């Protein structure tokens, strides 16, 4: 069974950094496109970053220049490096992957940016 487990969330000051991890079982990230989504309180879930199987990354305008998506094939893990964090980045962050037409989501990890 496919399972995605996020980690690395927590409380950080504005301007600080945080690195999220998503480790998968039952699926190989190196041959699948991956993505990070987030959902802030009272808002719709939004796409944050994508990483194709070929290594191409795309970002939402709101995080360009501040966030970086990457993966470690040996660890079957995808990362989201978040720098220059803003209070507006506060949200539950979710790892996402699709396999054979089926969508898979992690349970999420909470990121709180506050002074």
């Amino acid at each position: 069974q496919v399972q995605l487990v996020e980690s690395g969330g927590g409380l950080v000051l504005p301007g600080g950094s945080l690195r999220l991890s998503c480790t998968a079982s039952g699926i190989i990230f190196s041959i699948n496109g991956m993505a990070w989504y987030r959902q802030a309180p009272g808002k719709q879930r939004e796409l944050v970053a994508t990483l194709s199987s070929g290594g191409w990354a795309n970002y939402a305008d709101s995080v360009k220049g501040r966030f970086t998506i990457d993966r470690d094939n040996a660890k079957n893990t995808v990362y989201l490096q978040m720098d220059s964090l803003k209070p507006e980045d506060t949200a539950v962050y979710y790892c996402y992957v699709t396999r054979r037409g089926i969508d898979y989501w992690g349970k999420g990890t909470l990121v709180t940016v506050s002074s």
Side-chain angles (χ1 to χ4, degrees):
Q1 183 177 8
V2 175
Q3 184 176 16
L4 308 178
V5 180
E6 303 99 334
S7 63
L11 176 64
V12 65
L13 294 170
S17 297
L18 211 56
R19 185 172 179 83
L20 306 183
S21 298
C22 173
T23 299
S25 61
I27 194 167
I28 302 174
F29 275 168
S30 64
I31 59 173
N32 288 275
M34 299 158 284
W36 286 95
Y37 285 75
R38 69 185 181 187
Q39 187 166 22
K43 297 184 178 180
Q44 297 292 318
R45 187 172 298 187
E46 65 174 338
L47 180 64
V48 176
T50 62
L51 184 65
S52 73
S53 59
W56 292 97
N58 286 285
Y59 303 92
D61 288 341
S62 59
V63 306
K64 284 183 179 177
R66 301 188 297 118
F67 289 13
T68 303
I69 186 172
D70 202 359
R71 69 186 178 208
D72 185 330
N73 292 337
K75 297 180 179 179
N76 207 30
T77 298
V78 63
Y79 303 96
L80 185 68
Q81 176 67 42
M82 305 184 293
D83 299 318
S84 301
L85 283 162
K86 305 174 181 179
E88 306 91 271
D89 296 318
T90 296
V92 177
Y93 284 72
Y94 299 90
C95 183
Y96 166 87
V97 68
T98 183
R99 179 178 181 271
R100 298 184 182 275
I102 305 298
D103 297 334
Y104 297 95
W105 297 89
K107 293 183 178 180
T109 185
L110 176 63
V111 172
T112 302
V113 185
S114 177
S115 60

